[in-house]
Amino acid sequence: MSQESIISLKNVNKWFGDFQVLQDVNLEVKKKERIVVCGPSGSGKSTMIRCINRLEEHQEGTIVVDGIELTGNLKNIDSVRREVGMVFQQFNLFPHLSVKENITLAPIWVKKMPKAEAEELAMKQLEIVKIPEQANKYPGQLSGGQQQRVAIARSLAMNPNIMLFDEPTSALDPEMIKEVLDVMVDLAEGGMTMIVVTHEMGFAKTVANRMVFMDEGRIVEEAPPDKFFNNPESDRTKLFLSQILNH
Amino acid sequence: MNIDNKIESRKPPVATTGFIGWLRINLFSNWFNTIVTLLVAYFLYQIIPWFLDWAIFSADFIYNYKGERIIDRSFCSRVANPEEYHAACWSIIIVRFYQFIYGFYPVEQVWRVNVTYFLLAIALIPLLVEQLPYRKHLIKFTIIFPIIAFILLYGGFGFEIVPTNKWGGLLVTLVLGVFGIALAFPLGIILALGRRSKLPVISMVCTLFIEFIRGVPLITLLFFGMVMLPLFLPEGINMDGLVRVLVAVTLFQAAYMAEVIRGGLQAIPQGQYEAAQSVGLSYWQMNRKIILPQAIRITIPSIVNTSIGLFKDTTLVIIIGLLDLLGIGRGALADATWMGLSNEVYVFVALVFFIFTFGMSRYSLYLENKLKTGINMGAD
Ligand SMILES: Nc1ncnc2c1ncn2[C@@H]1O[C@H](COP(=O)(O)OP(=O)(O)OP(=O)(O)O)[C@@H](O)[C@H]1O
Ligand SMILES: [Mg+2]
């Protein structure tokens, strides 16, 4: 444990109204670590990772990302968002912008990059996600798998240190899941720090350094994939695994 | 087995294509439809020839039935010989055409108005044509057009000042309509964003403002602009009458636009906000680049609709003494030399309004179709 954490959640609590959605969540993520988060629906997985780039606000505890603490301070929030990329279940591409414009928008407006340079960067990112030929199309003209890869490219263009994925393949048809997972595996091999909420256990086994299992707003179990899949400690984890592995 | 023996695709049984097919589907699909079609056709058959005869074929323009030049109402065929002549006498419009278009704008300066009309047409082009080379630069011109128009029309910067009480007719109608719409648009956007703001003070102020303005008839606001606005200004500052009316019209229109745009904002999925925030865009960047372009695109037809409403409502300024197109018309009718030709005046005024509002409504239809069919048009 010599290395410092790049993401650190300490005793994080969060409520939606009276409903406590996160309870004493503690999580430390080191640089280049790949964490896969799983758990039943409504267990707070999305809420937890959305707290990390402040799409949701936590009410108690501390969240520190790359040395910056997330508080009400808008400047800190901006700095953290530059460090952290996020990929959503529903892709959330900007439908009125072309693929290339989707990718260049943030570099141009947030990083003040010259347009030509941003376009070159966009093409490079599109090569990485293997769809450079789609650059001038609009999101509505792409398949789900292609859209999600554009969304990944859009995040990567901001050169983040950390990537968050919230069920990136759940909205995809089976034949498209692989093309997205392949890109994510490449990314992991390139050394990206990643937190991935997914139920793709094959992906988890090959890529994750650590599995995190959540239930009812708590982190119930945290273990390397080997131990997690073959020898889980908690009964709830066992039940969950038996449900998702046997259907 | 018999591959060559393909079944020929049969022709549709009755004509559903071509002109006859179109008639059958749209006008004669059942007995009720057929009766309505015939009734309407009969009605049009009665009305159109009669109207064309009244307005054009038998009408007086410059000379009357005796070939005399018409200089006042008594020369009109239908006044001079009411037994035999009933058709329109357009001379009232022709003689007073200048007033209808420019009001009492000095003749030697009127080229400025013409240049403004011309520039207005140019400023509209990038709004009408989406695929246009250099559209971005033309849009910049459209945005600064109101300033150029103001200097040209009012004066200053070397131009002689033409006070607004000399303006009239179509000029006043267009100034109120175009400026009112153009100024209300950004204000409406701000109000719509404000009403949805997370900061309670801002959202409350915007909501109160919008609801107050929408709860009050335009005519009340016009009186407010005329009578009460000067009371709010520091002493010694005298606000121009037309400007005061313009303020009232703009506020009125802004409140309606705000509600329309707010509807559009509500239609934008939460994911768009989240994606914009997650790539690091600030609040204003997010709205300017992601949210508003989409929200405005889907609400343009409604924006145009409220604008048509405003354009027609500008005629209310007559009540507080401004001479817009309708005001000039009524002025002409009050003049003893032309009294009694109200049909001609009102038909003419209606026609001018119709041309503008019909243009706007076609524009909104065109956009609606484009939104329905087009995947997505290039962004700004
Ligand atoms: N904005 C919100 N307001 C109120 N309740 C919310 C809100 N967002 C989420 N919740 C609730 O918080 C709980 C956790 O939601 P969350 O989306 O984090 O779950 P999840 O683990 O990601 O589930 P899933 O697998 O279905 O995506 C759920 O019960 C959900 O109904
Ligand atoms: Mg979720």
Side-chain angles (χ1 to χ4, degrees):
Chain A
M1 297 271 161
S2 58
Q3 217 184 347
E4 270 221 18
S5 300
I6 190 168
I7 302 173
S8 158
L9 282 73
K10 289 208 173 78
N11 297 321
V12 172
N13 285 294
K14 175 170 177 63
W15 289 261
F16 283 124
D18 285 338
F19 173 69
Q20 186 164 10
V21 51
L22 295 179
Q23 300 190 33
D24 285 321
V25 169
N26 286 287
L27 183 69
E28 302 289 325
V29 181
K30 294 195 178 56
K31 223 172 176 149
K32 301 196 177 183
E33 252 193 320
R34 278 100 52 187
I35 311 287
V36 167
V37 182
C38 61
S41 180
S43 57
K45 308 177 295 291
S46 300
T47 309
M48 180 180 77
I49 69 165
R50 288 156 59 86
C51 281
I52 294 172
N53 70 347
R54 196 64 167 197
L55 287 183
E56 300 282 0
E57 206 172 308
H58 63 287
Q59 283 133 341
E60 281 179 16
T62 53
I63 300 180
V64 179
V65 180
D66 212 8
I68 307 161
E69 181 171 357
L70 279 171
T71 57
N73 185 331
L74 293 179
K75 228 171 165 181
N76 283 3
I77 297 174
D78 280 347
S79 321
V80 166
R81 284 184 182 156
R82 284 180 192 217
E83 297 293 320
V84 181
M86 183 149 189
V87 175
F88 302 87
Q89 183 174 353
Q90 300 298 339
F91 330 134
N92 296 344
L93 293 179
F94 307 131
H96 61 302
L97 301 179
S98 71
V99 164
K100 200 198 270 174
E101 290 165 330
N102 262 274
I103 301 173
T104 56
L105 185 81
I108 289 174
W109 289 91
V110 180
K111 289 197 166 166
K112 314 286 177 215
M113 192 182 278
K115 193 172 174 214
E117 195 183 324
E119 286 185 347
E120 207 174 298
L121 172 70
M123 289 317 295
K124 211 174 84 195
Q125 299 303 340
L126 284 173
E127 308 265 351
I128 291 176
V129 299
K130 304 177 191 112
I131 37 172
E133 72 283 0
Q134 310 290 351
N136 294 315
K137 289 200 183 158
Y138 283 89
Q141 297 167 297
L142 302 184
S143 74
Q146 292 170 329
Q147 290 192 47
Q148 192 61 298
R149 286 187 279 159
V150 173
I152 294 173
R154 177 176 69 181
S155 287
L156 292 179
M158 286 300 280
N159 194 20
N161 289 324
I162 300 161
M163 285 287 288
L164 307 174
F165 293 84
D166 191 358
E167 307 204 31
T169 56
S170 312
L172 296 178
D173 293 337
E175 69 269 20
M176 296 171 190
I177 291 178
K178 188 170 175 299
E179 64 190 44
V180 171
L181 290 181
D182 284 348
V183 169
M184 291 168 62
V185 171
D186 290 349
L187 209 57
E189 283 168 358
M192 178 66 77
T193 311
M194 293 162 71
I195 301 185
V196 184
V197 176
T198 184
H199 292 153
E200 292 294 329
M201 289 306 148
F203 171 81
K205 282 175 191 164
T206 48
V207 164
N209 304 113
R210 198 162 16 126
M211 299 293 299
V212 169
F213 174 68
M214 290 185 75
D215 193 16
E216 295 181 345
R218 293 173 185 278
I219 293 185
V220 176
E221 184 151 357
E222 233 185 298
D226 250 0
K227 176 157 186 303
F228 184 82
F229 288 109
N230 301 324
N231 199 4
E233 272 166 26
S234 143
D235 290 339
R236 274 188 281 176
T237 315
K238 283 176 198 159
L239 181 65
F240 176 77
L241 285 175
S242 71
Q243 280 165 352
I244 75 161
L245 296 176
N246 300 333
H247 74 88
Chain B
M1 289 267 129
N2 33 3
I3 297 161
D4 299 330
N5 200 359
K6 273 194 232 140
I7 299 171
E8 292 260 323
S9 69
R10 286 200 301 137
K11 286 253 155 56
V14 283
T16 52
T17 54
F19 180 63
I20 304 285
W22 183 88
L23 284 181
R24 211 185 275 275
I25 291 169
N26 289 292
L27 300 180
F28 301 101
S29 58
N30 58 38
W31 63 268
F32 179 72
N33 212 336
T34 306
I35 289 178
V36 172
T37 303
L38 292 177
L39 278 177
V40 170
Y42 178 72
F43 182 73
L44 291 178
Y45 171 74
Q46 292 290 315
I47 285 287
I48 291 178
W50 174 84
F51 180 78
L52 288 179
D53 187 61
W54 178 83
I56 299 172
F57 300 126
S58 301
D60 294 345
F61 289 90
I62 299 172
Y63 303 102
N64 68 7
Y65 71 104
K66 288 189 274 191
E68 298 161 329
R69 199 183 179 92
I70 302 170
I71 51 170
D72 65 38
R73 65 186 299 273
S74 61
F75 285 85
C76 288
S77 304
R78 76 174 169 101
V79 178
N81 188 351
E83 306 285 286
E84 283 181 47
Y85 294 93
H86 307 281
C89 177
W90 295 116
S91 311
I92 178 172
I93 310 294
I94 293 167
V95 169
R96 297 208 167 215
F97 194 72
Y98 185 90
Q99 272 187 24
F100 274 106
I101 304 300
Y102 308 105
F104 306 96
Y105 210 90
V107 182
E108 67 280 5
Q109 298 290 333
V110 83
W111 63 270
R112 284 157 48 181
V113 182
N114 291 332
V115 170
T116 311
Y117 285 160
F118 175 72
L119 291 180
L120 171 66
I122 296 205
L124 289 177
I125 290 175
L127 302 181
L128 301 175
V129 193
E130 195 119 12
Q131 308 297 340
L132 196 69
Y134 306 112
R135 178 158 176 263
K136 271 179 202 172
H137 301 286
L138 283 170
I139 287 266
K140 282 180 204 151
F141 173 73
T142 306
I143 289 168
I144 58 165
F145 167 75
I147 300 168
I148 298 175
F150 175 80
I151 294 170
L152 270 171
L153 292 175
Y154 183 73
F157 294 92
F159 292 123
E160 191 180 312
I161 304 269
V162 179
T164 58
N165 58 16
K166 293 250 163 52
W167 306 10
L170 184 63
L171 176 58
V172 162
T173 298
L174 285 180
V175 163
L176 290 176
V178 172
F179 276 75
I181 292 162
L183 297 174
F185 186 55
L187 191 57
I189 290 175
I190 304 267
L191 284 171
L193 290 176
R195 187 165 185 174
R196 284 168 59 86
S197 165
K198 285 207 189 89
L199 304 174
V201 180
I202 293 182
S203 129
M204 216 173 66
V205 168
C206 292
T207 307
L208 268 176
F209 178 86
I210 291 169
E211 293 304 333
F212 173 75
I213 301 261
R214 291 206 313 157
V216 169
L218 175 58
I219 190 71
T220 319
L221 283 179
L222 291 174
F223 278 122
F224 168 84
M226 270 335 248
V227 182
M228 303 222 345
L229 206 54
L231 302 180
F232 288 104
L233 293 174
E235 212 152 318
I237 293 188
N238 197 4
M239 211 174 176
D240 185 275
L242 186 66
V243 173
R244 277 183 278 171
V245 168
L246 193 54
V247 169
V249 165
T250 304
L251 295 182
F252 180 79
Q253 181 65 1
Y256 279 88
M257 282 217 194
E259 283 305 276
V260 168
I261 292 170
R262 191 169 69 97
L265 291 174
Q266 269 161 350
I268 307 299
Q270 189 60 26
Q272 292 290 306
Y273 291 87
E274 295 178 353
Q277 286 168 358
S278 75
V279 290
L281 297 183
S282 70
Y283 175 83
W284 289 110
Q285 287 171 336
M286 170 177 81
N287 277 304
R288 180 158 156 229
K289 291 284 152 189
I290 307 300
I291 307 300
L292 285 172
Q294 296 185 61
I296 288 170
R297 198 157 284 175
I298 53 181
T299 48
I300 280 182
S302 321
I303 290 174
V304 176
N305 271 343
T306 62
S307 303
I308 290 175
L310 177 80
F311 189 73
K312 292 183 295 181
D313 284 350
T314 56
T315 48
L316 286 172
V317 299
I318 201 171
I319 295 180
I320 51 173
L322 286 190
L323 294 177
D324 74 328
L325 192 63
L326 187 60
I328 292 285
R330 290 179 61 98
L333 291 175
D335 178 351
T337 48
W338 291 108
M339 237 163 12
L341 297 178
S342 41
N343 291 350
E344 287 82 350
V345 167
Y346 290 129
V347 166
F348 172 73
V349 171
L351 184 71
V352 175
F353 271 98
F354 179 75
I355 289 170
F356 282 98
T357 55
F358 186 70
M360 288 196 249
S361 111
R362 296 310 298 183
Y363 175 56
S364 109
L365 262 184
Y366 153 83
L367 288 171
E368 233 168 277
N369 285 333
K370 195 145 92 172
L371 289 171
K372 240 183 281 166
T373 53
I375 308 154
N376 270 302
M377 295 130 334
D380 310 329

